[in-house]
């Protein structure tokens, strides 16, 4: 009974606690968790880049980035949708519905995870070639992906239920999820590569073991009947309206990550054509630097999501807009810092991931051009997540597509033939600017619509 009472207090504070304090309480653990999660790939890249002398290794790891992004996308398809629906129905005081969402989501996560792992295992070489692998980098990319596949299946469950854990009132415990895995990975990766000399296979195995421990931690929370929201008998039968609502809302972050994979494939192939494997290696540095700051913003978004969802479901629009404003300001500050770091310390950052001087020189050029407009990306990400948190998946999907597909893809075909390799890098800041303008217009329009509503309504 004590746990039930504590959970009621956690949910009640979403509607009554001061917004600033509430956003910090939910976002700080989420930011810590997402940043620590970003360290998975960063640690692997740094350790592999220094443990294996062949410069093609760095480019090989770059080619696997879209594959890992696809795995994350499929995890977010269920996790983000389930977390948003759980937040809204809890705001409507419908605990049974939240339990049905929980039970259905776990089955979807397992099924989807096994299906994509099987597809990757069967078609790995064509997939990697499509993502920009050359004959020199393909063996390294293939070895890493094949060994990391079991961990990718576990990522689905971990990401999905970590989001639901946070949405149901446990932000601090959700933070520990990613911390446990990243700390373990930071220990095992150097041990397996430098100590056991297992090469790329060692980095992949370190990730697998870390994700296994993390997954056990997350799932144990929902098997604990003392928690108000937990797995309950009778909620695992497929409820198609629930499944549709979860997939509908989760489609926005899913498409964001899928678009990221598509863009990575196009970028890698353009880089291979205009700059060779050294240019593909350079994008590793760009991706890792951007990932750190984007993941901080995503942590802020994860922190604001239960606040937005609950208060939208409860019809408390004044709290809704205060949360949005504070989250957007915080996100812009973060991406502005990221922009400054990339321009002030490009050579030092590049040297962390690679030792080849030609690769470092190209990475420096990449950072200076591609991150010019990165400071405004924080606002665009928060605004997109605002629509997603309110169940307005269609608008969230559209905004996701503007930055990564609608504007980025044409630029990648127009600019490189004119400006060469610099044209590839220039496509990033230009698409950021145009997408932010579109996002601002849509957000202002949506806020005016919500202010005119007498009662909450899903789009």
């Amino acid at each position: 009974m004590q746990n039930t009472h504590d959970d009621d207090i956690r949910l009640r504070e979403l509607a009554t606690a001061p917004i600033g304090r509430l956003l910090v309480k939910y976002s700080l653990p989420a930011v810590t968790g997402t940043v620590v999660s970003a360290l998975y790939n960063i640690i692997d890249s740094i350790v592999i880049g220094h443990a294996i002398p062949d410069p093609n290794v760095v480019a090989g790891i770059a080619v696997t980035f879209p594959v890992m992004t696809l795995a994350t996308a499929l995890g977010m398809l269920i996790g983000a949708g389930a977390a948003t629906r759980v937040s809204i129905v809890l705001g409507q005081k419908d605990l049974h519905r939240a339990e049905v969402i929980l039970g259905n989501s776990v089955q979807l996560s397992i099924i989807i995870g096994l299906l994509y792992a099987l597809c990757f295992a069967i078609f790995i070489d064509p997939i990697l070639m499509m993502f920009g692998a050359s004959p020199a980098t393909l063996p390294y990319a293939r070895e890493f992906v094949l060994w990391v596949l079991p961990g990718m299946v576990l990522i689905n469950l971990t990401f999905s239920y970590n989001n639901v854990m946070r949405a149901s009132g446990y932000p601090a415990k959700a933070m520990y999820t990613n911390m446990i895995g990243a700390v373990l990975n930071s220990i095992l990766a150097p041990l397996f590569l430098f100590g056991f000399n297992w090469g790329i296979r060692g980095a992949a195995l370190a990730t697998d073991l870390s994700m296994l421990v993390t997954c056990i931690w997350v799932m144990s929370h929902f098997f604990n009947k003392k928690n108000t929201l937990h797995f309950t008998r009778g909620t695992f039968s497929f409820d198609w309206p629930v499944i549709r609502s979860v997939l509908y809302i989760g489609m926005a972050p899913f498409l964001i990550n899928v678009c990221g994979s598509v863009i990575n494939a196009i970028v890698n192939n353009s880089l291979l054509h205009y700059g060779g494997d050294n240019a593909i290696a350079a994008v590793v540095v760009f991706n890792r630097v951007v990932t750190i700051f984007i993941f901080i913003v995503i942590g802020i978004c994860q922190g604001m999501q239960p606040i937005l969802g609950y208060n939208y479901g409860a019809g408390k629009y004044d709290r809704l807009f205060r949360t949005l404003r504070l989250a957007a300001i915080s996100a812009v500050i973060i991406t502005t810092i990221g922009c400054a770091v990339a321009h002030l310390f490009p050579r030092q950052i590049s040297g962390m991931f690679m030792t080849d001087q030609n690769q470092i020189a190209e990475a420096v050029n990449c950072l200076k051009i591609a991150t010019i407009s990165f400071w405004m990306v924080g606002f665009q990400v928060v605004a997109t997540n605002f629509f997603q948190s309110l169940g307005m998946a269609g608008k969230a999907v559209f905004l996701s597509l503007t930055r990564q597909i609608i504007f980025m893809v044409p630029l990648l075909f127009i600019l490189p033939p004119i400006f060469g390799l610099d044209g590839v890098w220039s496509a990033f800041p230009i698409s950021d600017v145009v997408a932010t303008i579109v996002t601002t217009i849509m957000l202002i329009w949506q806020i005016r619509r919500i202010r005119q509503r007498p009662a909450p309504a899903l789009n």
Side-chain angles (χ1 to χ4, degrees):
M1 293 298 294
Q2 181 63 39
N3 279 69
T4 301
H5 177 68
D6 290 344
D7 285 350
D8 288 341
I9 293 175
R10 289 188 182 95
L11 295 176
R12 213 164 36 240
E13 74 174 359
L14 290 172
T16 59
I19 292 299
R21 189 177 71 191
L22 197 59
L23 188 60
V24 170
K25 177 179 179 179
Y26 275 75
S27 292
L28 188 58
V31 167
T32 303
T34 53
V35 170
V36 171
S37 178
L39 293 177
Y40 273 108
N41 289 329
I42 291 174
I43 290 169
D44 285 343
S45 298
I46 292 174
V47 173
I48 290 172
H50 289 273
I52 304 174
D54 188 344
N56 288 319
V57 171
V58 179
I61 294 300
V63 171
T64 69
F65 192 75
V67 178
M68 303 299 289
T69 303
L70 275 178
T72 302
L74 289 163
M76 294 301 291
L77 175 63
I78 309 302
T84 299
R85 290 300 303 155
V86 164
S87 293
I88 292 174
V89 299
L90 287 177
Q92 297 168 344
K93 312 299 182 184
D94 192 345
L95 179 60
H96 176 70
R97 196 66 170 169
E99 291 174 342
V100 173
I101 294 169
L102 192 71
N104 276 247
S105 297
V106 70
Q107 296 179 87
L108 286 174
S109 296
I110 293 173
I111 292 171
I112 290 175
L114 291 175
L115 285 176
Y116 80 68
L118 179 62
C119 289
F120 281 142
I122 295 174
F123 303 107
I124 187 61
D125 278 12
I127 290 173
L128 290 174
M129 293 294 287
M130 181 180 66
F131 286 153
S134 68
T137 61
L138 180 61
Y140 295 113
R142 182 199 303 120
E143 183 178 7
F144 183 80
V145 171
L146 289 178
W147 279 98
V148 85
L149 274 177
M152 291 164 65
V153 177
L154 297 173
I155 285 174
N156 265 25
L157 284 173
T158 302
F159 280 177
S160 294
Y161 282 88
N162 199 40
N163 285 331
V164 176
M165 183 188 295
R166 183 180 301 105
S168 59
Y170 290 87
K173 195 169 185 180
M175 171 186 70
Y176 298 142
T177 301
N178 291 323
M179 290 184 66
I180 290 171
V183 170
L184 186 58
N185 191 52
S186 67
I187 296 172
L188 294 179
L191 176 65
F192 290 172
L193 270 81
F194 291 107
F196 297 163
N197 293 317
W198 285 352
I200 286 183
R201 175 187 59 177
L205 287 174
T207 299
D208 291 342
L209 291 174
S210 301
M211 289 309 304
L212 174 61
V213 173
T214 303
C215 187
I216 292 172
W217 163 267
V218 172
M219 299 309 292
S220 66
H221 172 85
F222 293 101
F223 279 104
N224 187 349
K225 294 183 178 181
K226 293 181 180 180
N227 297 321
T228 298
L229 184 61
H230 59 269
F231 293 122
T232 306
R233 183 176 299 177
T235 59
F236 290 95
S237 298
F238 281 131
D239 185 318
W240 296 110
V242 166
I243 292 173
R244 282 195 297 270
S245 68
V246 167
L247 294 178
Y248 177 71
I249 297 173
M251 193 60 64
F254 168 73
L255 286 179
I256 290 174
N257 284 279
V258 168
C259 290
S261 288
V262 171
I263 290 299
N264 274 321
I266 297 173
V267 167
N268 285 348
N269 281 281
S270 295
L271 293 175
L272 189 62
H273 178 73
Y274 290 100
D277 288 330
N278 282 346
I280 292 182
V283 87
V284 171
V285 180
F286 170 75
N287 281 331
R288 298 307 185 251
V289 172
V290 168
T291 295
I292 281 287
F293 293 97
I294 288 293
F295 269 42
I296 295 175
V297 174
I298 290 174
I300 294 173
C301 292
Q302 289 178 351
M304 78 170 184
Q305 182 270 319
I307 307 171
L308 292 178
Y310 191 96
N311 284 284
Y312 185 67
K316 296 180 178 293
Y317 298 142
D318 58 331
R319 294 175 61 79
L320 187 78
F321 298 133
R322 290 204 303 272
T323 303
L324 171 64
R325 182 170 57 250
L326 187 56
I329 292 172
S330 302
V332 171
I333 291 173
I334 295 302
T335 49
T336 300
I337 294 172
C339 183
V341 169
H343 281 80
L344 293 174
F345 309 105
R347 184 165 295 277
Q348 293 88 334
I349 293 171
S350 302
M352 293 173 57
F353 296 91
M354 52 189 61
T355 56
D356 184 86
Q357 292 303 310
N358 292 327
Q359 290 182 347
I360 290 176
E362 192 52 61
V364 169
N365 184 51
C366 165
L367 288 176
K368 288 183 176 180
I369 298 175
T371 61
I372 291 173
S373 301
F374 182 66
W375 60 272
M376 62 179 65
V377 172
F379 168 79
Q380 211 264 346
V381 174
V382 167
T384 299
N385 277 269
F386 172 77
F387 288 104
Q388 175 195 320
S389 297
L390 272 55
M392 301 176 183
K395 295 182 178 70
V397 168
F398 171 74
L399 291 177
S400 303
L401 294 177
T402 58
R403 178 169 174 254
Q404 301 198 63
I405 294 292
I406 297 175
F407 302 132
M408 185 74 166
V409 171
L411 289 169
L412 285 171
F413 285 102
I414 294 171
L415 297 178
I418 300 173
F419 302 104
L421 188 55
D422 285 350
V424 180
W425 304 134
S426 299
F428 289 93
I430 294 175
S431 62
D432 288 341
V433 172
V434 183
T436 301
I437 293 172
V438 173
T439 300
T440 302
I441 294 171
M442 280 192 63
L443 184 63
I444 292 173
W445 177 79
Q446 188 63 56
I447 289 174
R448 288 176 178 172
R449 282 194 64 190
I450 294 175
R451 289 188 187 280
Q452 295 169 359
R453 292 179 181 173
L458 292 179
N459 210 38

